[in-house]
Amino acid sequence: MHESRGKFERLPVAETLLVAAAGAGLLELIGFPGALVAGSMLAVAVAALAGRPMRVPLPLARVCFVMVGMLLGTVVTPQTLRGIATWPLSVALLMVAVMTMLAGTAGYLRWVHGWQPLSALLGASPGSMAQVMALAAELGADLRGIAIVQVMRVLLIVLGVPAGLAAFGLAVTPVAPLRAAGAGSFTQLAILAIASTGVTLGAVAGARFANTGLRMLLSYLGAALGSFAVAGLVAAAFALLVAALLPLRIADVIVAFAPGAQDTMMVLALTLSLDPIYVGAHHLVRFLVVSLAIAVAARRFGGRKRAPARRRWQRPGRGAFDD
């Protein structure tokens, strides 16, 4: 009885990973940059929207996150670490960009789509999705709407950034540090680790679309696309400013300023052979700034007036959905 139940519970996980691998393989076959993350995320998201039981268990997701940290460590050198001291202007402009992005996107959701202030703030957060979703659940914000806007933003960034870099001739060959490795077995192991991590990480993000009907998705589509456009324009403007002021590769700056999930952007940087220290340092700063700002502001908005008891269905942006 227990064995059959365990087998039944493992089937959605196996299906999710197979769908993720198929999507990654397809985009890799056609030469799409960052295919491991982008392809797996897109395929799992489409399958979830189609009603398939896409699921990645928390222990597997945690293993994936640990692997991201390990992979980052393999490409760290003393030279790149010493280079961090030369980026204070870039980091300072990133902090300004984050606050501008947060204010602009929250204002867009608030005044264009009529979201409540708390929901608009959490939906506008450029990162820290786990913290955002925890605060949304605790303070009674529009949980499903915030999740859709956040995941759509990550999905569009993962698909759009590599494609944009390739379109402008800025994409680079994959994982340069691995090509320099001396032992063939180590190289193959590292490639396998990056591939399995990138597929699994894409599956984690894509699986968040599970139990989301097409009608519900469409009701939030305008907010998701519009907020992404606002955040993207702010990030692009500051990235171009940094690239004009400092002798940095434009591809590194674009990925470092992109408002995507920290772990996802790090895997993307590795697969595109960007500077992982520059990208990682900026996303760490963004994570700290966003986490602090969101925690303080959300408590302030949430403390003014507790949300009423949540109903099964409310208009987009004005309530929450029961999970």
Side-chain angles (χ1 to χ4, degrees):
M1 178 70 177
H2 292 292
E3 291 182 2
S4 61
R5 180 183 301 175
K7 182 178 180 181
F8 178 76
E9 291 176 350
R10 289 193 295 268
L11 287 178
V13 178
E15 181 181 358
T16 301
L17 296 179
L18 286 174
V19 170
L26 178 61
L27 289 197
E28 185 71 36
L29 187 64
I30 64 178
F32 190 90
L36 294 179
V37 181
S40 56
M41 183 184 294
L42 180 62
V44 173
V46 170
L49 290 173
R52 298 304 305 164
M54 297 289 100
R55 189 170 70 87
V56 177
L58 182 58
L60 179 58
R62 286 175 174 167
V63 170
C64 174
F65 299 148
V66 171
M67 288 297 298
V68 170
M70 293 173 60
L71 292 172
L72 175 59
T74 62
V75 294
V76 174
T77 65
Q79 292 76 17
T80 54
L81 286 175
R82 286 194 294 269
I84 296 178
T86 66
W87 302 326
L89 178 59
S90 180
V91 170
L93 288 173
L94 172 71
M95 296 173 68
V96 177
V98 167
M99 299 310 296
T100 305
M101 200 181 305
L102 185 59
T105 308
Y108 169 82
L109 291 173
R110 177 79 177 99
W111 302 113
V112 176
H113 294 277
W115 284 33
Q116 291 180 346
L118 177 61
S119 296
L121 173 72
L122 296 178
S125 174
S128 300
M129 186 184 298
Q131 179 192 21
V132 164
M133 298 312 297
L135 286 171
E138 178 185 351
L139 300 176
D142 185 356
L143 189 61
R144 184 57 59 87
I146 293 168
I148 291 174
V149 168
Q150 288 282 342
V151 175
M152 282 290 291
R153 173 178 50 81
V154 174
L155 180 61
L156 291 171
I157 288 173
V158 172
L159 292 174
V161 169
L165 293 177
F168 288 96
L170 300 174
V172 289
T173 53
V175 198
L178 294 182
R179 294 200 306 271
S185 59
F186 172 76
T187 302
Q188 294 172 3
L189 179 61
I191 292 174
L192 177 61
I194 287 181
S196 59
T197 301
V199 171
T200 308
L201 190 60
V204 170
R208 292 181 182 271
F209 284 98
N211 301 320
T212 300
L214 182 60
R215 179 181 176 183
M216 185 184 299
L217 179 65
L218 291 176
S219 69
Y220 287 103
L221 189 59
L225 295 178
S227 60
F228 167 76
V230 173
L233 287 173
V234 173
F238 277 90
L240 292 175
L241 177 60
V242 170
L245 294 176
L246 300 174
L248 298 168
R249 286 193 305 177
I250 183 64
D252 290 330
V253 179
I254 288 174
V255 175
F257 276 68
Q262 184 181 6
D263 46 11
T264 305
M265 301 312 295
M266 285 311 306
V267 172
L268 188 61
L270 288 169
T271 60
L272 295 177
S273 193
L274 302 179
D275 185 346
I277 302 304
Y278 177 82
V279 175
H282 283 68
H283 279 287
L284 177 60
V285 170
R286 179 173 62 86
F287 172 78
L288 294 175
V289 171
V290 170
S291 297
L292 179 61
I294 287 295
V296 173
R299 297 291 179 183
R300 180 182 177 186
F301 283 121
R304 289 179 179 176
K305 182 180 179 180
R306 296 291 297 181
R310 296 197 290 174
R311 297 191 294 261
R312 191 68 183 172
W313 165 263
Q314 291 178 335
R315 292 172 56 192
R318 301 195 179 274
F321 294 92
D322 289 333
D323 289 333

